[in-house]
Amino acid sequence: MRARKATVVRRSKRGREELAQLVQQAQSGDRAAFDELYRRTAQAQFYLMAAKVGDDAATDLLQELYLIAWRNIAQIRPDAVLGYLGATGRNLCRQHLERISGPSRPVPLDADALESAHETGGHIAPNDVGRDPAAVIGARDEQARLARALRDELTDFERACVVMRYYQ
């Protein structure tokens, strides 16, 4: 028996149109079209999720992602299916990380708040207790470098974009 080769979705107009057609067919109740949509997009979604949460969690989150997509197929815009999958996958990863580590503190956007966050960076957070001191100090140094870069190198608009993309 010959193994099936995974289809890679190319970022071409034709590829997007084919995905849009599959979504439209799935919206009409065609389960085989949804299966094909999964086959064409799942690998990329898995790797995006695995980069954020690791392989084990990504496997479970991938199943949840496509279950959500199937349940909400009627509301998905066919031409925006990749965006829908990406945004939903990102949200699932964020929720997973919050479940395992607790909610994160909000990231300040303005330069004054970044400066005060840098100045008060010496406190011990509740989740620091019992951790390796070198890891705690390394994480604080990393946060300080990031705060400095956000404060000194970016405009307010660029800073807001970075925070929305990576922290929300």
Side-chain angles (χ1 to χ4, degrees), residues 65-77:
L65 169 63
Y66 283 93
L67 181 61
I68 291 169
W70 176 251
R71 287 180 179 159
N72 297 314
I73 194 70
Q75 287 80 40
I76 298 174
R77 281 190 16 229

Side-chain angles (χ1 to χ4, degrees), residues 105 116-125 128 136-137 140:
R105 295 181 309 181
S116 66
H118 173 65
E119 291 170 1
T120 61
H123 75 284
I124 297 176
D128 287 347
V136 171
I137 297 299
R140 286 189 195 150

Side-chain angles (χ1 to χ4, degrees), residues 60-135:
D60 293 336
L61 293 176
L62 185 70
Q63 291 178 4
E64 191 172 345
L65 169 63
Y66 283 93
L67 181 61
I68 291 169
W70 176 251
R71 287 180 179 159
N72 297 314
I73 194 70
Q75 287 80 40
I76 298 174
R77 281 190 16 229
D79 61 333
V81 65
L82 290 176
Y84 175 87
L85 292 171
T88 304
R90 219 174 12 261
N91 287 336
L92 288 170
C93 289
R94 182 185 48 77
Q95 291 167 0
H96 170 76
L97 292 171
E98 284 177 356
R99 273 193 307 271
I100 64 171
S101 66
S104 62
R105 295 181 309 181
V107 176
L109 287 178
D110 60 52
D112 293 335
L114 285 168
E115 184 64 36
S116 66
H118 173 65
E119 291 170 1
T120 61
H123 75 284
I124 297 176
N127 58 355
D128 287 347
V129 176
R131 287 184 53 204
D132 176 28

Side-chain angles (χ1 to χ4, degrees), residues 1-40:
M1 192 155 76
R2 208 167 142 183
R4 229 180 191 191
K5 198 174 188 182
T7 303
V8 176
V9 176
R10 291 182 175 77
R11 291 185 174 199
S12 67
K13 184 176 180 182
R14 184 172 153 242
R16 289 189 306 268
E17 288 172 352
E18 289 173 359
L19 291 178
Q21 288 175 344
L22 290 171
V23 172
Q24 289 170 340
Q25 292 169 357
Q27 288 172 333
S28 299
D30 185 351
R31 189 166 182 109
F34 189 81
D35 291 344
E36 181 64 18
L37 176 69
Y38 174 87
R39 194 174 71 72
R40 291 186 185 196

